[in-house]
Amino acid sequence: MAARKPIETAPRDGSKVTVYWKDSDGVMNESIAQYRALDRLKAAGGDWDENDTGWWAYTDGHTQRKIDPISWRPASGDDEGE
């Protein structure tokens, strides 16, 4: 498994990565997420504004929410042979 990296170094091009974040109860979570910039959100349709820019993850099979991750690693297992 790849080592965790600071979230500031994560790709912001819409690619999916594994992120680590704490929920409102202080529980650490691991989720697949992607950074969504305002231009990408608007291109998908809907009424978006600057507050919607950021990291988004599914919290269950149907619900997405904006999260504030603290670290990340690549979502794929590309480095498992190392």
Side-chain angles (χ1 to χ4, degrees):
M1 179 181 349
R4 294 183 191 182
K5 302 174 185 176
I7 195 63
E8 297 79 18
T9 64
R12 294 180 178 231
D13 60 2
S15 57
K16 294 180 181 179
V17 297
T18 300
V19 297
Y20 301 89
W21 56 283
K22 287 186 180 179
D23 63 20
S24 59
D25 294 327
V27 176
M28 184 63 72
N29 293 276
E30 177 180 333
S31 302
I32 301 294
Q34 67 185 155
Y35 186 85
R36 296 186 182 152
L38 184 57
D39 60 334
R40 287 182 180 258
L41 290 166
K42 286 185 173 182
D47 187 24
W48 302 97
D49 65 34
E50 294 173 359
N51 295 322
D52 299 313
T53 297
W55 289 96
W56 288 81
Y58 278 96
T59 56
D60 63 37
H62 305 284
T63 308
Q64 293 184 62
R65 80 178 250 207
K66 187 176 167 190
I67 60 171
D68 189 21
I70 56 174
S71 60
W72 77 284
R73 66 176 173 80
S76 66
D78 293 342
D79 59 343
E80 287 185 18
E82 292 180 1

